[in-house]
């Protein structure tokens, strides 16, 4: 039976890489994000490259009515979601708490925490009804440890870590799997977004070390999602070899 995956934040980085790997493995793919042009070109590329079926949903995950409407709009055969990848997220700014920008804080809380909750609230009942499913939450090393100036981003990812554990308990009677994948430094648009479009500053983050690629995380997520029915991988932390944890990194120059 063909399986269906829904990937939030598929217009870039880890989510986009996930869409390719699941499509390549013959999943039907639901891709979501706010940038419709990117969704349309990704959809065409997935269909051409992997001959798979693709459904696009363009919405802002921070808006609960948009989330509800998007999931409700899925044709019934697309509502049979086997894997939900709660990936959409961002860091916005990097500053002490006393100098923090409240708009940045709200953006991170609304996307990383509330958006993930809205998606799960709409999708988990569908999985329960069909008596199967797997929710994969993309956390971060920032959800395991805090680092200087990372305060609110780290708090949202710690919340994802807590929700991952809590969801696993709630889903247990329904035998729905819940897993989290927690990356360290991955070179995507993440730093560009964190630094509000400052390309030079974003590039500096990865100087002197080999960061993870989005595909490294996508492969891990696919591995987590493709274990046998009796196996649930609860929690994976994955960093570049040059990174020991959220704060210790080695650079060659
Ligand atoms: P990217 O910036 O490359 O991708 C982020 C994705 O999230 C985009 O597709 C974006 O789509 C989507 N997104 C952001 N805000 C919204 C919104 N309001 N509504 C809908 N979609 C949204 O970053 P990554 O691929 O690196 O990040 C993916 C996840 O991985 C995030 O949760 C991030 O926190 C996490 N992560 C990243 C790490 C890294 O070093 N890169 C390390 C650890 C975790 P669009 O703009 O089109 O809406
Ligand atoms: C992204 C990794 O270390 O920039 O979650 O917070 S880090």
């Amino acid at each position: 039976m063909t399986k269906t995956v829904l990937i939030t934040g598929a217009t870039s980085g880890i989510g986009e890489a996930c869409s390719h790997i699941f499509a390549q493995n013959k999943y039907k793919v639901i891709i979501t994000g706010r940038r419709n042009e990117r969704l349309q070109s990704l959809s065409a590329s997935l269909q051409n490259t992997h001959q798979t079926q693709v459904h696009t949903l363009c919405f802002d995950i921070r808006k609960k009515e948009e989330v509800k409407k998007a999931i409700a709009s899925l044709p019934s055969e697309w509502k049979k979601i086997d894997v939900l990848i709660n990936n959409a997220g961002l860091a916005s700014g990097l500053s002490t708490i006393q100098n923090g920008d409240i708009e940045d804080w709200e953006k991170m809380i609304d996307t990383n925490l509330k958006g993930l909750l809205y998606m799960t609230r709409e999708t988990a009942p569908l999985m329960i009804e069909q008596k199967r499913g797997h929710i994969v939450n993309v956390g971060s090393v920032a959800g395991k440890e805090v680092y200087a100036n990372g305060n609110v981003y780290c708090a949202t990812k710690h919340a994802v870590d807590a929700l991952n554990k809590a969801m696993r308990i709630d889903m247990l009677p329904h035998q729905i799997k819940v897993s989290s994948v927690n990356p360290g430094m991955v070179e995507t648009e993440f730093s560009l977004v964190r630094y509000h479009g400052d390309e030079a500053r974003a590039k500096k983050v990865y100087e002197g070390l080999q960061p993870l690629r989005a595909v490294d995380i996508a492969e891990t997520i696919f591995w987590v999602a493709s274990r046998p029915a009796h196996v649930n991988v609860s929690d994976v932390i994955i960093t570049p070899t040059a990174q020991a944890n959220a704060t210790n990194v080695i650079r060659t120059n």
Side-chain angles (χ1 to χ4, degrees):
M1 194 181 54
T2 308
K3 290 187 174 176
T4 301
V5 62
L6 189 160
I7 305 161
T8 68
T11 54
S12 168
I14 294 168
E16 183 179 353
C18 283
S19 73
H20 280 285
I21 208 157
F22 279 81
Q24 192 185 336
N25 284 281
K26 303 298 164 216
Y27 273 71
K28 287 166 64 179
V29 182
I30 305 169
I31 49 175
T32 83
R34 290 166 299 179
R35 288 170 285 182
N36 198 35
E37 263 179 35
R38 286 201 185 192
L39 286 175
Q40 296 316 318
S41 71
L42 177 60
S43 170
S45 153
L46 292 171
Q47 291 181 67
N48 292 338
T49 315
H50 309 293
Q51 286 76 49
T52 193
Q53 293 179 60
V54 183
H55 192 92
T56 63
L57 292 174
C58 185
F59 63 92
D60 187 333
I61 206 169
R62 293 171 296 181
K63 303 197 172 140
K64 63 173 177 286
E65 290 312 322
E66 285 191 26
V67 175
K68 265 190 184 178
K69 230 168 106 182
I71 302 300
S73 77
L74 285 170
S76 56
E77 69 274 17
W78 284 95
K79 282 201 173 96
K80 293 174 187 146
I81 297 163
D82 295 280
V83 183
L84 165 66
I85 305 178
N86 275 325
N87 164 73
L90 79 173
S92 193
L94 189 70
S95 103
T96 58
I97 210 83
Q98 62 273 27
N99 291 318
D101 177 331
I102 291 178
E103 265 182 41
D104 278 338
W105 294 357
E106 287 175 345
K107 221 184 272 178
M108 292 186 276
I109 292 165
D110 290 351
T111 312
N112 302 354
L113 179 50
K114 290 166 77 178
L116 179 144
L117 283 169
Y118 299 154
M119 280 304 301
T120 306
R121 181 64 186 85
E122 295 307 311
T123 310
L126 301 175
M127 291 182 171
I128 290 171
E129 200 183 313
Q130 73 195 7
K131 298 188 172 64
R132 65 168 199 281
H134 192 166
I135 299 168
V136 183
N137 296 308
V138 178
S140 170
V141 289
K144 303 290 182 183
E145 304 153 90
V146 294
Y147 53 83
N149 300 319
N151 40 60
V152 176
Y153 179 68
C154 294
T156 63
K157 290 298 185 178
H158 274 70
V160 172
D161 194 45
L163 283 171
N164 187 61
K165 293 174 193 152
M167 281 182 202
R168 201 173 310 117
I169 299 168
D170 298 340
M171 292 298 116
L172 184 62
H174 306 287
Q175 295 289 277
I176 308 294
K177 297 188 192 189
V178 181
S179 308
S180 78
V181 173
N182 299 279
M185 298 164 86
V186 192
E187 193 165 12
T188 60
E189 292 178 9
F190 177 84
S191 292
L192 194 62
V193 172
R194 164 169 264 171
Y195 295 125
H196 304 124
D198 182 338
E199 285 182 18
R201 208 169 162 203
K203 207 162 158 246
K204 245 181 143 32
V205 174
Y206 310 108
E207 264 172 21
L209 62 84
Q210 186 171 348
L212 295 169
R213 303 157 303 156
V215 69
D216 297 320
I217 303 305
E219 282 172 353
T220 307
I221 291 174
F222 184 76
W223 176 79
V224 165
S226 57
R227 294 309 81 217
H230 69 289
V231 178
N232 183 63
V233 180
S234 307
D235 200 21
V236 178
I237 300 177
I238 169 167
T239 63
T241 307
Q243 179 180 24
N245 54 35
T247 45
N248 291 73
V249 165
I250 188 147
R251 296 182 198 264
T252 53
N253 50 22

